[in-house]
Amino acid sequence: MWIISSVKARSNISTFDSRMVSLSIILFTLLSLSSRFVISAEKVITCDGEIQRLSCDTGVISVQSVSFGRTNENICSIGQPKDQISNTQCSLEISVIAKRCDGLKVCEINTQGLSVEDPCVGTYKYYTTNYICIPAETSVTCQGGYSSLYCENGRIQINTANYGRTDKHTCSEGLPSDQIQNTSCYSPNALSPVSQRCNGMRSCEVFATHTVFTDPCEGTYKYLAISYNCLPQAVRSKVICEYRNSTLKCEEGTRLQIHNANYGRTESSICPLTNPKVPQQTDCYTSNSKDIVAERCDGKNDCFISASNAVFTDPCYGTLKYLHITYSCVAD
């Protein structure tokens, strides 16, 4: 497995800090390997008020964590008064960048006023975004059309979906300028209907219209953007939200074989909070999750499992977690 790690910094970073950034990217990549194949791991630092740009040469964006604040005196310090860069104990986790960028190949965001909360008034801050590029199929369908998803081998697993507009170029031909200017248009409920219609299917169609999705920006011409994977038929996936229980069960004559498991949070859209403004950590892993699940389930026809801190410990206090398991049913 080949991993490409890189750092993109839109600020003045000292040599020492660059080394620390490189080290954190390596550690971050190693953690990510436990749950999925990673094409590349990136870190972007953007001064407050500037444009943050995330991009994947191959695959699509999956934001792992975003912090807003200041933890280093040298980053984004040119031209700033001493009293505005001396506080290096300032950090706030935010989720808005993940919501806007996950599943896209390129994502540009104006950070001016992006965070509604100021973690340290009077300090000049910056955004630090960790993201990975993951392999995925993509589909873009203009408003009023049908999105057709297909897996030649395996079954569809939806990663991300948005009905709205995030750039001025997609589905823009022949349209008046005022219908493509709003590029911060995100449907609050796009993932659920697409997942319900397509997950586990070999092919599916989704109508890109406000009769299926909430209209997030009246007067703007929209499109449906989806990213998905084709999972091998033999591999199954189970998500159990924190505080809940579930049973893994195989057909008669077969037994469970656990491939991977993680209790934590790596995606913002899975098991969403009732209050989305509460920041959630998305680089949250329990290193021995697979061992715990395998000990309880491997070789059995069925097993009962709870997604709780009592079983797995708490890898990220204050974050709503979930247990994600991949497994197969193998013959006796």
Side-chain angles (χ1 to χ4, degrees):
M1 187 178 295
W2 181 257
I3 305 298
I4 305 171
S5 296
S6 64
V7 177
K8 301 176 182 177
R10 311 210 196 295
S11 58
N12 51 305
I13 306 178
S14 66
T15 302
F16 171 78
D17 189 65
S18 296
R19 290 173 181 170
M20 293 303 295
V21 167
S22 298
L23 177 59
S24 66
I25 285 296
I26 293 169
L27 294 174
F28 172 74
T29 301
L30 291 174
L31 286 173
S32 299
L33 285 176
S34 64
S35 61
R36 65 174 68 189
F37 177 74
V38 182
I39 296 174
S40 65
E42 313 281 355
K43 185 169 190 171
V44 176
I45 299 174
T46 308
C47 304
D48 189 18
E50 296 184 358
I51 302 295
Q52 181 164 101
R53 187 178 192 275
L54 314 183
S55 65
C56 289
D57 294 332
T58 305
V60 298
I61 297 164
S62 176
V63 175
Q64 302 297 288
S65 66
V66 182
S67 64
F68 176 56
R70 175 171 290 278
T71 58
N72 184 289
E73 191 170 321
N74 298 311
I75 297 174
C76 293
S77 61
I78 293 179
Q80 301 300 325
K82 182 71 174 178
D83 63 333
Q84 291 188 19
I85 61 173
S86 58
N87 181 4
T88 58
Q89 304 297 316
C90 171
S91 183
L92 173 70
E93 295 291 323
I94 64 172
S95 60
V96 63
I97 292 179
K99 292 178 181 178
R100 295 190 181 187
C101 295
D102 278 355
L104 301 178
K105 291 183 176 296
V106 178
C107 182
E108 292 188 349
I109 297 180
N110 187 344
T111 62
Q112 184 69 48
L114 187 63
S115 177
V116 295
E117 185 177 346
D118 190 338
C120 46
V121 177
T123 293
Y124 185 68
K125 294 166 283 290
Y126 53 85
Y127 291 84
T128 304
T129 300
N130 288 302
Y131 70 99
I132 58 177
C133 297
I134 60 173
E137 304 292 332
T138 58
S139 169
V140 176
T141 305
C142 300
Q143 180 177 320
Y146 282 89
S147 178
S148 298
L149 311 185
Y150 175 70
C151 286
E152 184 174 357
N153 297 304
R155 302 292 175 176
I156 296 168
Q157 179 67 40
I158 302 298
N159 290 330
T160 60
N162 181 54
Y163 179 67
R165 175 169 289 277
T166 60
D167 67 61
K168 296 180 181 180
H169 310 293
T170 304
C171 295
S172 61
E173 187 175 353
L175 293 175
S177 177
D178 62 332
Q179 291 188 21
I180 59 174
Q181 291 303 308
N182 184 358
T183 57
S184 296
C185 177
Y186 302 87
S187 176
N189 70 335
L191 185 63
S192 180
V194 176
S195 297
Q196 290 176 9
R197 190 170 187 86
C198 297
N199 277 352
M201 305 294 291
R202 186 176 179 183
S203 63
C204 69
E205 284 192 342
V206 184
F207 192 20
T209 175
H210 66 274
T211 59
V212 177
F213 308 98
T214 301
D215 190 342
C217 47
E218 293 185 12
T220 293
Y221 189 79
K222 293 164 281 289
Y223 52 86
L224 175 61
I226 300 171
S227 72
Y228 66 100
N229 291 106
C230 294
L231 296 181
Q233 286 183 259
V235 178
R236 308 180 186 188
S237 180
K238 185 79 170 181
V239 172
I240 310 170
C241 299
E242 188 178 0
Y243 309 119
R244 297 186 180 179
N245 310 313
S246 191
T247 299
L248 303 183
K249 185 173 179 60
C250 288
E251 297 77 13
E252 186 176 349
T254 63
R255 295 289 179 262
L256 289 161
Q257 180 181 341
I258 305 300
H259 297 301
N260 216 329
N262 181 57
Y263 177 68
R265 177 171 289 276
T266 61
E267 301 284 350
S268 59
S269 57
I270 298 175
C271 297
L273 292 178
T274 54
N275 181 6
K277 292 184 178 180
V278 177
Q280 296 289 286
Q281 185 177 335
T282 53
D283 57 347
C284 177
Y285 302 84
T286 303
S287 60
N288 63 339
S289 298
K290 179 185 175 183
D291 294 338
I292 293 173
V293 176
E295 183 179 355
R296 297 186 176 209
C297 301
D298 264 351
K300 298 179 180 179
N301 177 255
D302 62 78
C303 74
F304 180 81
I305 193 82
S306 297
S308 70
N309 297 336
V311 176
F312 297 95
T313 72
D314 190 344
C316 45
Y317 181 78
T319 290
L320 179 68
K321 293 162 282 290
Y322 56 84
L323 175 62
H324 182 206
I325 306 169
T326 56
Y327 67 99
S328 296
C329 293
V330 297
D332 289 343

